[in-house]
Amino acid sequence: MADCLLEFQDVHREFATPAGPSRPVLLGVDFAVERGASLAMVGRSGSGKSTLLHLAAGIDLPSRGEVRLAGRSLASLDDPVRSRLRRDHVGLVFQFFHLLPHLTVRDNVSLPGWIAGDPHAEVRARAEDLLAAVELGDRGDDLAGRLSGGQMQRVAICRALQRRPGLVLADEPTGNLDETVGARVMDLLVGLCADEGVGLLYVTHSREQASRADRVLRLRDGRLAAAEAPA
Amino acid sequence: MSGRLLGAMLAHWRQSRTLTVLTVLGVALGVGSVVCIQLINQGALAAFAGGMRAVSGEADLVVLGHGPDLDETIYREVLAHPDVRAAWPLVRAWAKVAGREDEFVDIVGVDVFAPVDYPVDVGGSDAALGGLADMLTDPGWIALTPEFAGELDLAVGDTFTVAVSDRLLTLSVGALVDFRRRAPLASRKLALMDIAQAQHLLDRGGHVDQIDVRIRRDRDLATAQRRLQDTLGPGVRVLSPEQRQESAAGLLAAFRLNLTALSLISVMVGVFLIFSAVHASLVRRRRQFGLLRSLGAERGQVLRVILLEAALLGVAGTLVGLPIGYGAAMLNVDTVSSTLTSIYLLDEIEQLRFPPLLVVVAVAVGLGGALLGALLPALDISRRDPVALLGAAGLPERIGRMAPGLALLGLGILLAVGIWYSAGGHELRTAGFVLAFFLMVSLPLMTPLVLRAVCSRIPPRGFGWRLGWRGLATRLQSTSFAVAALAVTVSMLVGITLLIGSFRATLDTWIARSLTADIYVTGASWQRDLGRTALSDTVRTRLAAHDAVEYVDLQRRREGRTDSGRPVRLIAIAREGRTDEHWSARTPLLAGDLDRLAGRLDDGAVVISEPLARGLDLAVGDSLRLATPDGPRARPIAGIAYDYASEHGVAYMAVPTLESMIGPVGVAAMALTLEPGRDPERVIDALRSELAGHALELRSNRRLRAEVVDIFDQTFAITRILQFMALVIAVCGVSLTLLIMARERATELALYRALGATRRQVFGLGLGEGTGLGALGLALGLGGGAALAAILILVINRDWFGWTIRFALPAGALLAQAVWIMGGAVLAAVYPALRASRTPASELTREDLL
Ligand SMILES: Nc1ncnc2c1ncn2[C@@H]1O[C@H](COP(=O)(O)OP(=O)(O)O)[C@@H](O)[C@H]1O
Ligand SMILES: [Mg+2]
């Protein structure tokens, strides 16, 4: 599976609880995301979807099993290497946008480039291109705090794509948006990822949004299973 | 209910240990500086009072001269007064213990028949003074305190040598005298001697230093005092113990006030720290308060719980602050003692006592500061409605909206105080402190706007310090206080450094112009008695006749008073063999005609020092009214000299003028100008061996200058510890703020981590924020410090001391301070930055954080 950017092999994750036995959340998850493929993940609240995404991004480590990102087993790497791997291969989109309100829209999109130390001119040009692609080309100089929810999430998508990652992980990207706005944001996310050949793994509660992925996975009782085929 | 609530609330402080430690430390250091200064201030007065009680405890009144001594004949007049029940004379003198560095004994010559129970102990049994026949008959009989005898390794029966001026005397320890039984704070250096022996040994024939008086029991003290004064005339002063203590306090007033004001700056910085800590802790617990309120807790209850909590922090800070203050006072008591003895001619502080009242003051400062700091945030939280408190979004940062208004208020205050000052406020002696206080108040008010204006203008190019700095502007509520506290502290640091640097540069120039001789000669006891006892004639003639010496200037001096009671040092310096060669005719003049000065001095005029002229509002052409044994005498003022040797004042005059007022005065010091080409150090060595039988201090010009500068530095040494403590508080404030920011911004930091920033990068961001806070505090403080220096030099110094100080820029000292401050800020940022760098990226999905 050399062309798989992300692989989970028998991944377990349990959390220590203050008192009593630890709580198991993931109980042997196996799956892989091929380059350029899109995957939707559904499941009840609390079933461990965010936990799975954290593991995928190397933000969290499995209790057992192996998560491989770009061919490297995350558990064996130290934190700086994991951070670099994440910044080079993964783009993240969150339910709560997490833009920095005191920075301009363009600076928010540039942030991953800054962290990686990319050349300024390139970072800026890439930010402009992406903003134009999500129809926010004229808002680059506004403070991010001034935008509407839908606009913020479009900026967050640009941010995720800034460094041309191989994979975008999106945790309920439309969870905080109303249906029409959410649909529009989803269009942009799926569309942009497809255009740039970027793999996409997103969590959603909407059957309709899930149906836009190549595959749909359901997380239930700590395990991942293929859900109904896309319509 | 409040008790339970408080218990629940306090759990928060237990969990936020670093925050709590920093807050308590801030309060403690504020309390500590106040305690330190008050201990030293009170110690100075207590030492004086202790000495007075030990020696003159039985006296209702004391008769003193205007100068250091009194004609003996007055004793008979006092005794003859109908209101007087008993009176006994005293002679006082400082003698230097030979062979010991800086060890002096404070000799009290007493009348054996004085009705005073000195606790004298002859070999184990107490004896009444009257029974000590040895005291009268044994030459050099002296009683030392047990402590001092122990220090000198002397027992009853031993002899030792002391120097009074240039004369060496052999004394024999006849008894021990435990003055501390009479007054616990009495100096251990007090020693008893028979008065007739003392007069003889000290060359004080016909004079006494004071006469202690006991009034008849049936007389009213105040009336008796007035009547005695009337009888004795204006040539002497009749004072009650309280009046003597007041006059000592008066001497020290400026010194004490300045130190107190400085220590209050630390308290102010501490209050800022409390404010940020309480504010942050309340914001973090806002939901808890919202819950309480929605469960029916009243505003008053919430307010009470918060204030109680702050009070506990205040008390904890006070408990820690008391020993800190005591320790700081202990560390500084020696340098302050040097200042007391060399500048104010008072007793040194040998023991620090903790007066119970000071504990009350400390609690008031700690508790008051904590409550003051907590009040605004407490009111703020208790006034918000429960819904807003429970809401998911953070409380809006009000300070951002208020920034321009606050800055305007600050400017308005400065403007109003400026107008007040020029419209009449300057006539108040405390005006300078008012100006300084409002400057320190307006600086914090302007901080939020400056902070925002600077930080929001920084383009965040890349992930580094710029981004950190930019972030400072978004947490104005937290950052403003840290920057303001730092700015106030830096103002104080810079203001004082500019003052000291300017003063020092001015002093250097003055010394260079006024100390021109090659060698300065004094008796060995000069350091304490300042030339009270004259050099012997042999020394004088042999020095003047020495073949290496071109000419000699002779100094005669007496401590005196103006007729209004202000201490003034009377000095006549004339060339040996010439009465018309006045040193004072060569001194740098502020006003007066230098060409005609020598003639005017010959005619009886005086040159007065600048502080005296300013203090008494005297100008050239006015006359100086001096109190003399024969009543007030006026002398025309021919010039006003720059002079930095005495805080209270100096009057220079011709020898005949001096002696016409107070009788013959011996030569206390000599300045030798050598024949060209002579090496002063070699001449000093030669003179030492030629005059080996005399206890002389021979100082080269270079050494004397160095000593003057040392005394100057010692005077300001105490300010250094205050500066340091204020800086530590401010640095705690920076640390606290960054910790708070790291917590409040957990989501932001988690985002950086999620976007691939390494821990090291996040750590760097935190350090960048620390440097940002430091640099802004430094910049604001430099401005404030320059203004404060102007107030210190032009207003406070003028009103309280009266020196002309030329502005100088002590670049080296300022640079060193800037490095310290920035170093402190960066150091303060290390731990918070470390904490920030450990923020896990998974915090991002924890919704309760934002
Ligand atoms: N850091 C953590 N510590 C302890 N428990 C956690 C942690 N993160 C998640 N959990 C628990 O794991 C379970 C799954 O959480 P999550 O992955 O956020 O679910 P989902 O995103 O599917 O709603 C929940 O019960 C949650 O309480
Ligand atoms: Mg989730």
Side-chain angles (χ1 to χ4, degrees):
Chain A
M1 300 239 280
D3 57 345
C4 284
L5 199 60
L6 177 70
E7 287 173 73
F8 274 53
Q9 284 171 7
D10 191 28
V11 168
H12 291 249
R13 182 69 173 109
E14 49 198 45
F15 291 106
T17 48
S22 56
R23 179 210 313 237
V25 176
L26 301 180
L27 296 161
V29 172
D30 286 283
F31 81 107
V33 184
E34 302 83 32
R35 285 190 189 274
S38 66
L39 250 77
M41 179 160 52
V42 296
R44 290 223 182 88
S45 178
S47 57
K49 305 182 294 296
S50 296
T51 303
L52 193 148
L53 287 196
H54 288 168
L55 292 169
I59 286 170
D60 193 8
L61 291 175
S63 314
R64 189 145 66 82
E66 198 172 61
V67 177
R68 298 175 71 85
L69 183 63
R72 305 182 67 178
S73 171
L74 289 178
S76 65
L77 303 173
D78 63 5
D79 184 80
V81 177
R82 232 171 23 240
S83 296
R84 254 167 252 137
L85 209 60
R86 173 159 68 245
R87 104 178 28 140
D88 288 343
H89 298 287
V90 178
L92 287 165
V93 178
F94 312 93
Q95 178 176 353
F96 293 100
F97 324 136
H98 291 311
L99 299 185
L100 298 182
H102 57 281
L103 295 187
T104 62
V105 166
R106 188 188 306 108
D107 288 345
N108 267 286
V109 178
S110 305
L111 198 53
W114 291 350
I115 290 173
D118 297 341
H120 277 290
E122 274 175 35
V123 171
R124 193 186 159 101
R126 171 77 172 153
E128 300 284 6
D129 289 349
L130 286 165
L131 284 171
V134 299
E135 290 162 28
L136 287 172
D138 54 342
R139 305 296 301 269
D141 289 316
D142 289 356
L143 286 182
R146 303 248 166 85
L147 302 181
S148 71
Q151 290 170 328
M152 283 198 198
Q153 200 60 307
R154 274 142 68 193
V155 174
I157 291 168
C158 295
R159 181 177 64 193
L161 291 168
Q162 161 74 30
R163 303 203 67 235
R164 305 175 203 279
L167 175 66
V168 167
L169 302 172
D171 195 350
E172 300 188 39
T174 61
N176 247 10
L177 303 173
D178 68 41
E179 214 169 309
T180 39
V181 174
R184 165 110 184 79
V185 164
M186 211 58 215
D187 282 345
L188 284 168
L189 178 61
V190 174
L192 271 174
C193 285
D195 288 351
E196 303 215 343
V198 177
L200 174 64
L201 170 58
Y202 62 97
V203 173
T204 181
H205 286 294
S206 149
R207 179 180 292 247
E208 192 191 321
Q209 283 178 14
S211 68
R212 314 183 55 155
D214 302 336
R215 280 198 291 152
V216 180
L217 299 169
R218 175 174 299 279
L219 191 59
R220 183 190 286 159
D221 302 330
R223 283 176 225 277
L224 209 52
E228 68 273 32
Chain B
M1 148 125 188
S2 290
R4 290 261 176 81
L5 272 183
L6 188 65
M9 292 289 150
L10 284 178
H12 161 81
W13 292 98
R14 246 177 283 129
Q15 283 154 16
S16 323
R17 219 168 298 139
T18 317
L19 195 86
T20 313
V21 167
L22 287 173
T23 312
V24 169
L25 191 61
V27 180
L29 286 169
V31 169
S33 19
V34 170
V35 166
C36 166
I37 291 311
Q38 292 311 314
L39 269 176
I40 281 175
N41 278 347
Q42 298 189 6
L45 296 182
F48 176 79
M52 201 172 72
R53 203 167 316 124
V55 175
S56 306
E58 279 88 350
D60 298 320
L61 296 172
V62 173
V63 180
L64 294 164
H66 294 289
D69 55 15
L70 281 168
D71 197 304
E72 218 176 32
T73 53
I74 292 171
Y75 178 44
R76 243 152 277 145
E77 280 182 64
V78 173
L79 270 182
H81 195 276
D83 293 344
V84 170
R85 179 153 63 98
W88 57 100
L90 293 171
V91 165
R92 303 287 300 266
W94 282 106
K96 182 173 185 294
V97 179
R100 294 264 177 160
E101 192 84 18
D102 288 337
E103 201 72 273
F104 290 83
V105 52
D106 185 0
I107 299 175
V108 186
V110 296
D111 188 343
V112 180
F113 303 108
V116 180
D117 288 325
Y118 291 110
V120 179
D121 168 359
V122 195
S125 63
D126 281 11
L129 216 50
L132 294 172
D134 295 351
M135 181 176 182
L136 299 175
T137 54
D138 279 10
W141 188 101
I142 195 165
L144 301 178
T145 61
E147 296 90 349
F148 199 54
E151 267 170 53
L152 297 181
D153 216 6
L154 292 172
V156 172
D158 291 347
T159 59
F160 66 111
T161 309
V162 298
V164 175
S165 188
D166 60 16
R167 272 163 305 134
L168 289 164
L169 311 173
T170 303
L171 301 178
S172 120
V173 183
L176 297 179
V177 54
D178 194 0
F179 277 108
R180 287 191 176 163
R181 290 232 300 266
R182 288 164 62 87
L185 292 182
S187 166
R188 64 185 195 286
K189 297 182 179 170
L190 283 169
L192 270 191
M193 189 183 253
D194 168 56
I195 189 166
Q197 282 218 49
Q199 279 179 317
H200 172 69
L201 288 172
L202 305 169
D203 198 16
R204 296 273 175 82
H207 287 89
V208 297
D209 283 70
Q210 69 186 60
I211 299 165
D212 287 5
V213 177
R214 205 179 285 160
I215 296 299
R216 295 170 74 111
R217 290 218 179 82
D218 53 347
R219 303 298 155 95
D220 171 57
L221 194 61
T223 320
Q225 182 181 2
R226 204 165 51 236
R227 285 166 41 127
L228 188 58
Q229 179 77 71
D230 287 348
T231 309
L232 299 177
V236 303
R237 298 178 292 154
V238 179
L239 299 178
S240 66
E242 294 75 32
Q243 285 169 325
R244 288 182 73 195
Q245 215 162 324
E246 272 166 31
S247 91
L251 281 182
L252 280 179
F255 182 72
R256 290 166 61 214
L257 186 66
N258 279 292
L259 290 182
T260 304
L262 275 184
S263 67
L264 289 179
I265 290 192
S266 295
V267 175
M268 181 165 173
V269 178
V271 169
F272 283 141
L273 191 128
I274 285 273
F275 189 111
S276 351
V278 171
H279 175 80
S281 78
L282 294 185
V283 167
R284 290 195 71 211
R285 289 176 294 167
R286 64 179 194 279
R287 291 220 171 105
Q288 221 174 328
F289 288 109
L291 199 65
L292 281 177
R293 296 270 283 115
S294 63
L295 292 177
E298 286 162 28
R299 291 200 164 147
Q301 272 174 317
V302 170
L303 189 67
R304 252 198 321 276
V305 167
I306 299 170
L307 290 182
L308 252 171
E309 198 180 276
L312 283 178
L313 287 173
V315 169
T318 308
L319 288 179
V320 180
L322 282 169
I324 290 181
Y326 188 78
M330 289 293 281
L331 281 178
N332 285 275
V333 73
D334 283 347
T335 56
V336 172
S337 279
S338 306
T339 304
L340 291 176
T341 54
S342 62
I343 298 196
Y344 297 102
L345 310 185
L346 290 169
D347 297 318
E348 63 190 305
I349 309 171
E350 290 180 9
Q351 285 171 295
L352 284 175
R353 280 289 165 94
F354 226 114
L357 192 67
L358 187 52
V359 179
V360 178
V361 170
V363 172
V365 168
L367 205 60
L371 290 177
L372 191 68
L375 191 62
L376 275 181
L379 281 174
D380 183 44
I381 279 282
S382 68
R383 280 191 189 143
R384 307 247 186 183
D385 61 292
V387 181
L389 289 173
L390 285 167
L395 297 176
E397 287 242 331
R398 293 186 174 177
I399 207 162
R401 259 183 297 126
M402 286 159 50
L406 289 175
L408 268 181
L409 181 66
L411 278 179
I413 287 176
L414 281 188
L415 202 66
V417 175
I419 291 171
W420 166 82
Y421 181 76
S422 47
H426 58 271
E427 283 171 19
L428 271 178
R429 211 170 171 218
T430 44
F433 293 99
V434 174
L435 289 184
F437 174 76
F438 282 107
L439 175 67
M440 292 298 105
V441 167
S442 64
L443 203 58
L445 289 174
M446 293 190 237
T447 302
L449 189 70
V450 173
L451 188 70
R452 195 175 61 181
V454 172
C455 289
S456 59
R457 257 192 205 105
I458 291 170
R461 306 195 73 232
F463 189 80
W465 63 271
R466 287 199 196 86
L467 190 63
W469 281 44
R470 177 95 180 209
L472 296 179
T474 63
R475 301 271 165 182
L476 273 188
Q477 199 103 285
S478 310
T479 51
S480 293
F481 281 95
V483 172
L486 199 58
V488 168
T489 308
V490 173
S491 299
M492 165 184 160
L493 295 178
V494 168
I496 292 174
T497 302
L498 284 172
L499 168 73
I500 296 179
S502 302
F503 203 166
R504 174 88 182 257
T506 309
L507 187 72
D508 282 341
T509 319
W510 178 73
I511 293 176
R513 286 186 62 182
S514 48
L515 296 184
T516 51
D518 297 307
I519 299 174
Y520 290 83
V521 184
T522 63
S525 58
W526 169 275
Q527 192 186 331
R528 277 301 161 84
D529 76 358
L530 295 177
R532 172 78 192 284
T533 311
L535 292 169
S536 45
D537 287 339
T538 40
V539 166
R540 190 178 143 186
T541 45
R542 285 178 65 182
L543 283 175
H546 197 276
D547 66 351
V549 174
E550 187 187 340
Y551 62 87
V552 177
D553 286 311
L554 304 177
Q555 182 179 144
R556 293 171 166 84
R557 54 148 76 194
R558 270 287 181 277
E559 302 301 319
R561 272 163 205 281
T562 64
D563 70 342
S564 58
R566 184 183 170 107
V568 48
R569 183 170 294 160
L570 311 176
I571 298 183
I573 304 175
R575 192 158 299 180
E576 165 88 46
R578 312 247 320 246
T579 47
D580 57 343
E581 263 296 334
H582 308 288
W583 173 84
S584 40
R586 285 179 273 133
T587 191
L589 281 193
L590 175 71
D593 181 356
L594 201 58
D595 295 334
R596 295 182 47 222
L597 195 59
R600 303 274 327 264
L601 286 166
D602 285 336
D603 294 341
V606 299
V607 173
I608 62 173
S609 67
E610 187 188 5
L612 186 61
R614 287 193 199 279
L616 297 179
D617 204 12
L618 293 171
V620 171
D622 296 341
S623 43
L624 176 69
R625 296 175 57 82
L626 292 166
T628 77
D630 305 317
R633 292 283 178 274
R635 294 286 176 250
I637 297 168
I640 295 170
Y642 290 109
D643 188 298
Y644 302 91
S646 157
E647 177 185 325
H648 299 290
V650 182
Y652 295 101
M653 59 197 73
V655 179
T657 314
L658 178 68
E659 297 195 329
S660 75
M661 290 192 286
I662 55 173
V665 181
V667 171
M670 301 170 70
L672 316 181
T673 300
L674 301 183
E675 297 285 355
R678 293 299 196 125
D679 173 16
E681 302 293 346
R682 305 254 300 268
V683 176
I684 286 177
D685 288 342
L687 290 175
R688 275 214 182 103
S689 54
E690 276 173 49
L691 294 163
H694 297 270
L696 285 176
E697 283 284 354
L698 296 155
R699 295 173 174 86
S700 65
N701 185 300
R702 196 152 43 99
R703 205 184 119 202
L704 182 61
R705 286 186 194 196
E707 280 182 23
V708 172
V709 171
D710 276 352
I711 290 179
F712 174 86
D713 286 344
Q714 254 172 9
T715 310
F716 286 100
I718 179 86
T719 61
R720 223 151 284 149
I721 188 121
L722 291 178
Q723 290 177 307
F724 179 75
M725 281 161 93
L727 183 61
V728 174
I729 304 178
V731 165
C732 283
V734 170
S735 208
L736 190 101
T737 301
L738 292 173
L739 269 181
I740 293 168
M741 279 175 65
R743 251 180 210 173
E744 287 178 350
R745 291 184 319 161
T747 319
E748 184 181 327
L749 298 173
L751 174 71
Y752 296 140
R753 298 278 287 132
L755 296 182
T758 58
R759 283 201 184 125
R760 187 190 293 242
Q761 279 179 305
V762 175
F763 179 77
L765 194 70
L767 277 195
E769 284 165 355
T771 29
L773 291 179
L776 279 165
L778 189 61
L780 273 167
L782 281 175
L788 189 64
I791 294 174
L792 285 168
I793 291 174
L794 297 177
V795 185
I796 295 182
N797 156 56
R798 283 284 168 85
D799 291 347
W800 288 83
F801 300 95
W803 282 302
T804 293
I805 297 175
R806 297 206 165 75
F807 283 96
L809 201 67
L814 285 177
L815 199 70
Q817 239 160 36
V819 170
W820 265 90
I821 292 159
M822 288 309 295
V826 172
L827 208 64
V830 168
Y831 179 66
L834 213 58
R835 289 264 291 255
S837 72
R838 297 213 184 109
T839 311
S842 52
E843 294 267 324
L844 269 182
T845 42
R846 304 241 325 253
E847 287 131 45
D848 57 313
L849 275 166
L850 203 109

